[in-house]
Amino acid sequence: MASLKDVAEKAEVSIATVSRVINGNSHVQMDTRHKVQKAIKELNYRPSRVAQRLRSKGKESKLIGLVLPDIENPFYVDMIRGIEATAYNQGYSVIIGNFSQNKARSEMYIDILKSEGVNGFIVAPVNNEDPKVRELIKSGYQVTCVDRDMEGVEVDSVKINNEEAAYGAIKHLINLGHKRIGHVGGQWDIPTTKSRLAGYKRALLESGLPIEEELIITRSSDFQNGVEATTALLDLNRPPTAVFTGNNLLTLGALRAIHARELKIPSDIAIVGFDDMYWSELLNPPLTAVHQDGFEIGRRATELLLSRLVEPNRPCIKVILDAKLRIRKSCGAAQNGRLSTDL
Amino acid sequence: MASLKDVAEKAEVSIATVSRVINGNSHVQMDTRHKVQKAIKELNYRPSRVAQRLRSKGKESKLIGLVLPDIENPFYVDMIRGIEATAYNQGYSVIIGNFSQNKARSEMYIDILKSEGVNGFIVAPVNNEDPKVRELIKSGYQVTCVDRDMEGVEVDSVKINNEEAAYGAIKHLINLGHKRIGHVGGQWDIPTTKSRLAGYKRALLESGLPIEEELIITRSSDFQNGVEATTALLDLNRPPTAVFTGNNLLTLGALRAIHARELKIPSDIAIVGFDDMYWSELLNPPLTAVHQDGFEIGRRATELLLSRLVEPNRPCIKVILDAKLRIRKSCGAAQNGRLSTDL
DNA sequence: TTAAATCATGTAAACGTTTTCATAAATTTA
DNA sequence: TAAATTTATGAAAACGTTTACATGATTTAA
């Protein structure tokens, strides 16, 4: 790779002048400017981001660190696409740490990204406390939370109203006549798990239905737990007539468990899932699910972060996006021909 | 972030000594070593990768650049996980460029990653020629190709035998009695598209079946094309009794098109897909598909790259992994109770 | 005992930028 | 015309490392 020095020599000027040309500094004469631009082109020169980053310690580093729970989850993949698209548009690179719902790995990635000299972070905190993220904020890094928020900290965040979305999903089941609704949730200390559970409970209470602990299982957020927890629900003396699954991996696991028993959906048991995929309609049966727009969440989060890099002390902004319930065939007949409904 | 200098001051030694302690250089006395380690701990010091990278220009940069066609495709997500796991294990960071099957974006990412000072690249070349990747190799970067290879270049690569895998899939259909088999392939100039098409043709020829151009559509590699191409096949005067789809997005598109016509799989039309997902069995119907192990491909590619960084001039290695056909319910009754078959 | 070798540590240069300061040339002002 | 201002450019420092070289202390060899 050609360096500033190479360009300077070729153009017979100092490296300072070359730097000025590159950064659009006005104090450089037309003909020298042209000489330099010619040399840059001939050498196919591009400035080293590494050196830029070292020199200007954060301020101009043009690198965003991304710390996400699970790259296997299509919802996060959509978010990554939204983040990438927005960031690269503005000349930022993105470096991804995928911690697989594992606290230790999350901390490891944060350390690595710090030492990579990132400019700011987009993070899904492991839980409401997440001391590592708190420390990050305290020590002056710019941070935006996605998908999950943190309490008692001044930090930008983008997420949906999980409680309300879950409430809507359960209401849908109740309206279809279900009275015994099971819930398979994710890891208990993840904020979204809590909110979705809260929405579930509120809907039941509001309709005068009892909340039965045996119908609620919140353990880990992965496929395997989806299988096991659903199986456990099916094994109850009085199994539920419907299940609400807390994320898309759990949903897939639940489907597996139900199919393994050769039960019919929705006549034997109905299912409504949290998180929608564009291929949800191709599942057996086409899945009724809560849709949240991962791409948009990513886009908004990136905009928030970039704006905060420019104006570090502005008051923090909490973005809460809407989710939609996409009604397909896993809960019973579609109602009034509507395909989706605002929550 | 604390720097070497801070540690040096605290421990009352020179920065050189601190550096030696960190890098395990033997020439440092026990008690100074302890003093330094204590200071490091107290200041929570971690070396700046940015500075390390600048200083040792590539040689020790500990950063791998990843340039992939499509992060929406679960197959590549598996690959990323394999690459990440292996890389981080050895202290390398990974930075991802996702070019969405777009040549210009692929080139942009390669430039960015170069200027990020990556140590080496793992790349899926856009096609056999890919002049940008050739140039990369020529200018001395270490490169490993994944999923796709390049002709006439000395470069490590990891992929499966696509021709053979496609051949096996088609043979399976033929054995079930299908005589008119359509093929929906990806973008024509992608190497995998060509190989899979070749396997398709070989299987037909070998069984004495004609190759009919109207049954073959290779356009772009995305979901939308899967829908459109399959619809076109169904609209033929003599539609095929089976389709072979060239990647998982095309498969999902094909399913959508078939369901839109309310045709029964496999009685009206059978389908075998390239690329398997762990949730393929949950599709309607459970999908018979060619399985390639993305995680393993990623792992092997990373090992190859890291080994080449140590020994840049070793002869190049071409790894070809096996694919398996996972037989489920989209082509007809499972045979002899076998669930999968080596290709 | 003395020369040679080894060991522990420090000094300073280098990596590729950006930026402050200095300086010389050109322009404006009085 | 002389002084003051503006403009174009260069020199050098700094960012945080690694490492070649230098130096003085200690050990080994003869």
Side-chain angles (χ1 to χ4, degrees):
Chain A
M1 290 273 273
S3 75
L4 260 196
K5 205 169 142 197
D6 301 323
V7 177
E9 273 165 20
K10 183 145 218 159
E12 295 174 303
V13 296
S14 75
I15 58 168
T17 300
V18 180
S19 177
R20 278 189 275 256
V21 170
I22 289 166
N23 297 297
N25 185 307
S26 55
H27 285 237
V28 45
Q29 247 177 351
M30 265 310 180
D31 54 342
T32 27
R33 184 181 299 271
H34 288 317
K35 259 196 315 189
V36 169
Q37 282 166 337
K38 187 160 158 261
I40 288 177
K41 205 154 247 168
E42 282 176 18
L43 291 170
N44 191 20
Y45 166 80
R46 305 201 69 203
S48 154
R49 298 206 157 196
V50 179
Q52 290 179 324
R53 195 163 297 138
L54 177 60
R55 162 62 211 218
S56 40
K57 226 177 133 75
K59 204 174 169 244
E60 300 277 336
S61 89
K62 298 267 181 189
L63 183 65
I64 292 176
L66 197 53
V67 183
L68 288 183
D70 192 355
I71 203 182
E72 273 191 279
N73 186 321
F75 165 64
Y76 291 115
V77 173
D78 283 341
M79 242 178 57
I80 293 174
R81 289 195 309 117
I83 292 167
E84 263 198 338
T86 317
Y88 280 103
N89 251 342
Q90 315 238 8
Y92 280 75
S93 302
V94 177
I95 181 166
I96 302 177
N98 162 232
F99 61 82
S100 304
Q101 306 281 13
N102 174 319
K103 193 176 161 191
R105 284 188 62 168
S106 158
E107 299 190 352
M108 177 190 88
Y109 281 126
I110 289 177
D111 281 339
I112 290 178
L113 297 182
K114 265 161 101 171
S115 99
E116 288 289 356
V118 301
N119 215 292
F121 284 85
I122 295 179
V123 181
V126 291
N127 58 39
N128 257 326
E129 316 305 324
D130 205 329
K132 192 82 185 181
V133 173
R134 272 168 207 267
E135 177 201 311
L136 206 54
I137 298 170
K138 209 170 267 168
S139 56
Y141 282 92
Q142 302 307 337
V143 176
T144 299
C145 292
V146 282
D147 184 41
R148 310 160 178 192
D149 202 355
M150 297 184 71
E151 275 158 25
V153 197
E154 281 284 302
V155 62
D156 292 341
S157 71
V158 185
K159 57 175 187 173
I160 61 162
N161 188 334
N162 285 285
E163 199 272 356
E164 184 66 20
Y167 171 85
I170 301 302
K171 266 294 189 190
H172 175 66
L173 288 172
I174 294 174
N175 288 341
L176 290 170
H178 291 281
K179 296 198 156 31
R180 246 182 111 65
I181 302 172
H183 176 40
V184 177
Q187 203 175 301
W188 68 270
D189 63 338
I190 299 175
T192 49
T193 299
K194 294 183 187 171
S195 315
R196 291 169 194 178
L197 177 58
Y200 163 86
K201 288 185 174 171
R202 177 159 69 89
L204 293 183
L205 283 176
E206 210 180 284
S207 305
L209 294 170
I211 289 170
E212 305 195 29
E213 289 304 328
E214 67 170 3
L215 292 179
I216 302 173
I217 306 182
T218 56
R219 259 189 321 235
S220 62
S221 303
D222 53 291
F223 180 79
Q224 193 51 39
N225 181 47
V227 178
E228 289 167 10
T230 307
T231 304
L233 288 180
L234 296 176
D235 281 341
L236 289 175
N237 276 338
R238 293 175 53 218
T241 64
V243 221
F244 167 51
T245 45
N247 78 18
N248 44 17
L249 302 180
L250 294 170
T251 306
L252 294 173
L255 286 177
R256 155 110 87 167
I258 294 170
H259 286 317
R261 290 287 165 94
E262 304 195 334
L263 296 172
K264 290 263 176 299
I265 302 172
S267 54
D268 292 332
I269 185 160
I271 178 167
V272 56
F274 213 105
D275 290 336
D276 188 49
M277 292 81 53
Y278 68 94
W279 40 269
S280 290
E281 60 153 337
L282 302 172
L283 290 168
N284 179 19
L287 185 74
T288 294
V290 175
H291 175 88
Q292 54 173 332
D293 188 341
F295 190 95
E296 180 67 9
I297 293 177
R299 195 182 67 75
R300 297 288 286 269
T302 312
E303 279 176 358
L304 244 39
L305 181 60
L306 297 186
S307 85
R308 180 170 286 281
L309 290 177
V310 180
E311 194 189 350
N313 295 318
R314 69 154 164 71
C316 77
I317 297 177
K318 307 275 184 190
V319 175
I320 297 191
L321 299 173
D322 279 340
K324 273 188 191 336
L325 183 64
R326 295 251 165 101
I327 297 173
R328 302 200 184 85
K329 307 232 159 115
S330 63
C331 300
Q335 305 194 298
N336 314 326
R338 279 190 302 155
L339 276 174
S340 78
T341 209
D342 287 321
L343 294 179
Chain B
M1 289 273 273
S3 76
L4 262 196
K5 206 170 142 199
D6 301 323
V7 177
E9 274 165 20
K10 182 145 220 161
E12 296 174 302
V13 295
S14 74
I15 58 169
T17 300
V18 179
S19 177
R20 278 188 275 255
V21 170
I22 290 165
N23 297 296
N25 184 308
S26 55
H27 287 236
V28 44
Q29 243 176 356
M30 265 310 180
D31 54 343
T32 26
R33 183 182 300 271
H34 288 318
K35 257 195 317 189
V36 170
Q37 283 166 335
K38 186 159 158 262
I40 288 178
K41 206 154 245 167
E42 282 176 17
L43 290 170
N44 192 20
Y45 166 81
R46 304 202 69 203
S48 155
R49 297 207 158 196
V50 179
Q52 289 180 323
R53 194 164 298 137
L54 178 60
R55 161 63 211 216
S56 40
K57 225 183 133 84
K59 205 173 168 249
E60 300 277 336
S61 89
K62 297 270 182 186
L63 181 66
I64 292 177
L66 198 52
V67 183
L68 288 183
D70 192 355
I71 203 182
E72 274 191 278
N73 186 322
F75 166 63
Y76 291 116
V77 174
D78 283 342
M79 242 177 56
I80 293 174
R81 289 195 309 119
I83 291 167
E84 264 198 337
T86 317
Y88 281 102
N89 249 344
Q90 315 239 6
Y92 280 74
S93 302
V94 177
I95 179 165
I96 302 178
N98 163 232
F99 62 82
S100 304
Q101 305 280 13
N102 173 318
K103 194 176 160 189
R105 284 188 62 168
S106 157
E107 299 190 350
M108 177 191 87
Y109 281 126
I110 289 178
D111 281 338
I112 290 177
L113 296 183
K114 265 161 99 172
S115 97
E116 289 289 357
V118 302
N119 214 293
F121 283 84
I122 295 180
V123 181
V126 288
N127 58 39
N128 256 326
E129 316 305 323
D130 206 329
K132 193 80 185 183
V133 173
R134 271 167 209 266
E135 178 202 311
L136 206 54
I137 298 170
K138 210 170 264 167
S139 56
Y141 283 92
Q142 302 306 339
V143 176
T144 299
C145 292
V146 280
D147 185 41
R148 310 158 177 193
D149 202 356
M150 297 185 70
E151 273 156 25
V153 197
E154 281 284 303
V155 62
D156 293 341
S157 72
V158 185
K159 57 175 187 173
I160 61 161
N161 189 335
N162 286 284
E163 200 272 356
E164 185 66 21
Y167 171 85
I170 301 301
K171 266 293 190 190
H172 175 66
L173 288 172
I174 294 174
N175 288 340
L176 290 170
H178 291 281
K179 294 197 157 35
R180 247 183 112 64
I181 302 172
H183 176 40
V184 177
Q187 203 175 301
W188 68 271
D189 63 337
I190 298 176
T192 48
T193 300
K194 294 182 187 172
S195 314
R196 291 168 195 178
L197 177 58
Y200 163 87
K201 289 184 173 172
R202 177 158 70 89
L204 292 184
L205 283 175
E206 209 181 287
S207 305
L209 294 170
I211 289 170
E212 304 195 29
E213 288 305 327
E214 67 170 4
L215 291 180
I216 303 174
I217 305 181
T218 56
R219 257 185 328 231
S220 63
S221 303
D222 52 291
F223 179 79
Q224 194 51 39
N225 181 48
V227 178
E228 289 167 10
T230 307
T231 304
L233 288 179
L234 297 176
D235 280 340
L236 290 174
N237 277 338
R238 293 176 54 218
T241 64
V243 223
F244 167 52
T245 44
N247 78 20
N248 44 17
L249 302 181
L250 294 170
T251 305
L252 294 173
L255 286 177
R256 153 110 88 166
I258 294 170
H259 287 317
R261 291 287 166 96
E262 303 197 332
L263 295 172
K264 289 262 176 302
I265 302 172
S267 53
D268 292 331
I269 186 161
I271 178 167
V272 56
F274 213 106
D275 289 337
D276 187 47
M277 292 80 53
Y278 68 93
W279 40 269
S280 290
E281 61 154 336
L282 303 173
L283 289 168
N284 178 20
L287 184 75
T288 294
V290 175
H291 176 89
Q292 55 173 330
D293 189 340
F295 189 94
E296 179 68 7
I297 293 176
R299 194 182 67 74
R300 297 288 285 269
T302 311
E303 279 177 358
L304 243 40
L305 181 60
L306 297 186
S307 84
R308 180 170 286 281
L309 290 176
V310 180
E311 193 190 351
N313 295 317
R314 69 155 162 71
C316 76
I317 297 176
K318 307 277 184 189
V319 175
I320 297 190
L321 299 174
D322 280 339
K324 274 189 193 334
L325 183 63
R326 294 254 167 97
I327 297 173
R328 301 198 183 87
K329 307 232 159 116
S330 64
C331 299
Q335 307 193 295
N336 313 324
R338 277 191 303 156
L339 276 176
S340 79
T341 206
D342 286 321
L343 295 176

